[in-house]
Amino acid sequence: MLGTLVANPWFAYFGTRTIYQGSAKGLCFPGFNCYACPLALFSCPIGALQQSFALLSPRFKSVSASQAAVTAVKRAASYPVSALLYVVGFIGLVGVLTGRLVCGWICPFGFLQDLLYKIPTPKLGLPRWMRFGKYFALVVVAMLIPYITGVHWYSRLCPAGSLEGALPLKVLPPKTPLPEVGWFFWLKIAILVVFLAWMVVTKRPFCRTACALGGAYAALTPFSFYRMQVDSAKCTSCGECKKSCPVDINIYENANSPECVRCLTCKKECPTGAVTSGFGRPSASSIFERESGPPA
Amino acid sequence: MAKRRLRMRAPYVLLVVFVLMLITGLLLGGFGKVFVHGIVICLDCIGLI
């Protein structure tokens, strides 16, 4: 909740009908928050990552929809690779320091998914293979395709962008006139509706299957300095941790699983106090191996 | 043994690499480019087309 407010405090929009254009837009927000949201103060790291690849693309000039935007970016782009270095360095630094702590604590879209899952309906699990979707989203949709086409397709189809950017700007349009709604707008809304319905029946489906930022942080979680630990002498494998886990994992099977969003619910719910967490030196055995397990 | 040592060092190597990337990107003007994306291109990605 606090993360949502920190990322979106530009309430002046309601009076001025102008999106924030101050220097904070040059900073990336560590969570998944659309910078087209009328209230957004910071840039989305995945939006900026795609733009960095699109900027390096030979097709950038010819396919981008806004010529004014292209001109402005080209003018600022004396070193086109600088945006890429800045954004990758930022995402990597957050990932290697905290793993997916951001996903569990300050991501507005993760917070929405947790809320929707509380609606009492029959619940569904998630096939294991679908978790690879977020890595595909990161490498192919957010990096490779923008480089090849010069267009940020992940942002254009992103359900968080539709919810936080497209819909509010349609309801409360800015002073700058926007293009007319067409079929592409309705495609975005359809994707959003599918994900919203899925969030009611499955725990955090977007984070687990399609979030490119979650994919980047997940890949760095085994190396991160913020670690989860399970004391195998105290753990009774009762399963309370999995019941309360927002991403449906058994923390005692792999304390530093790439899926773990470090929300620390398992730490709170564990009846024997076996789960601990904190910053520390990652041990050799914890990287790519299970750090702890249930008692034999 | 060498593999174990490599694993031990990987987080520190990654930390140094990402910090260097961030600093280099900022020094070369990455902040300005993300700023321009943030205020101009975000309206382009709304998809009202």
Side-chain angles (χ1 to χ4, degrees):
Chain A
M1 182 74 180
L2 190 64
T4 310
L5 286 174
V6 169
N8 301 292
W10 184 245
F11 293 103
Y13 179 82
F14 294 112
T16 61
R17 292 293 177 96
T18 307
I19 63 161
Y20 174 71
Q21 298 182 18
S23 19
K25 269 276 163 81
L27 295 172
C28 293
F29 183 71
F32 203 67
N33 188 68
C34 185
Y35 55 180
C37 173
L39 308 182
L41 202 64
F42 307 104
S43 284
C44 168
I46 291 301
L49 181 74
Q50 291 169 85
Q51 278 301 331
S52 308
F53 275 96
L55 196 62
L56 295 172
S57 169
R59 298 195 64 197
F60 179 64
K61 193 177 177 180
S62 58
V63 290
S64 182
S66 165
Q67 196 54 46
V70 171
T71 312
V73 173
K74 288 279 181 188
R75 202 180 298 135
S78 46
Y79 294 98
V81 80
S82 65
L84 187 63
L85 287 171
Y86 167 44
V87 176
V88 174
F90 175 81
I91 295 173
L93 188 59
V94 173
V96 87
L97 287 177
T98 68
R100 295 187 76 179
L101 191 74
V102 162
C103 306
W105 287 92
I106 63 170
C107 180
F109 210 54
F111 173 63
L112 173 74
Q113 291 174 82
D114 287 343
L115 287 183
L116 288 177
Y117 189 74
K118 289 184 193 293
I119 296 172
T121 54
K123 304 297 180 188
L124 294 173
L126 193 74
R128 217 176 149 79
W129 61 267
M130 289 187 88
R131 66 177 61 173
F132 294 105
K134 58 183 174 291
Y135 303 113
F136 178 83
L138 173 68
V139 177
V140 178
V141 190
M143 290 157 81
L144 197 59
I145 292 179
Y147 179 71
I148 294 169
T149 63
V151 179
H152 40 81
W153 282 106
Y154 189 91
S155 288
R156 289 190 164 200
L157 298 170
C158 176
S162 306
L163 186 68
E164 297 170 18
L167 278 177
L169 285 170
K170 188 66 198 149
V171 176
L172 289 171
K175 275 184 191 164
T176 318
L178 292 173
E180 286 299 307
V181 167
W183 67 270
F184 196 81
F185 176 81
W186 295 112
L187 173 67
K188 281 171 68 97
I189 298 302
I191 292 171
L192 170 65
V193 169
V194 168
F195 268 105
L196 288 177
W198 198 4
M199 288 167 195
V200 175
V201 294
T202 301
K203 290 177 175 178
R204 289 202 178 211
F206 183 78
C207 300
R208 295 159 74 191
T209 66
C211 181
L213 188 60
Y217 291 152
L220 291 166
T221 291
F223 304 100
S224 76
F225 286 88
Y226 189 83
R227 323 278 312 154
M228 300 294 295
Q229 282 173 328
V230 180
D231 185 343
S232 52
K234 288 183 183 173
C235 178
T236 58
S237 312
C238 65
E240 283 300 318
C241 48
K242 188 174 181 182
K243 266 189 231 165
S244 60
C245 178
V247 287
D248 228 10
I249 58 168
N250 275 323
I251 191 78
Y252 58 78
E253 285 180 355
N254 182 359
N256 290 291
S257 159
E259 299 303 305
C260 174
V261 294
R262 269 94 155 116
C263 63
L264 308 184
T265 311
C266 54
K267 190 176 166 180
K268 200 171 72 182
E269 296 294 325
C270 179
T272 60
V275 184
T276 53
S277 66
F279 284 95
R281 288 174 58 179
S283 62
S285 62
S286 69
I287 299 170
F288 299 125
E289 288 174 14
R290 290 176 178 185
E291 192 156 345
S292 52
Chain B
M1 191 65 186
K3 200 174 167 186
R4 189 182 164 81
R5 204 177 299 143
L6 196 69
R7 277 184 185 166
M8 282 290 283
R9 286 182 184 167
Y12 300 97
V13 172
L14 284 172
L15 186 67
V16 171
V17 167
F18 289 131
V19 168
L20 287 176
M21 284 176 87
L22 182 64
I23 293 170
T24 314
L26 286 172
L27 289 176
L28 292 178
F31 182 90
K33 275 185 275 298
V34 171
F35 170 73
V36 172
H37 301 158
I39 62 166
V40 182
I41 298 191
C42 63
L43 287 177
D44 179 48
C45 70
I46 296 162
L48 299 175
I49 51 175

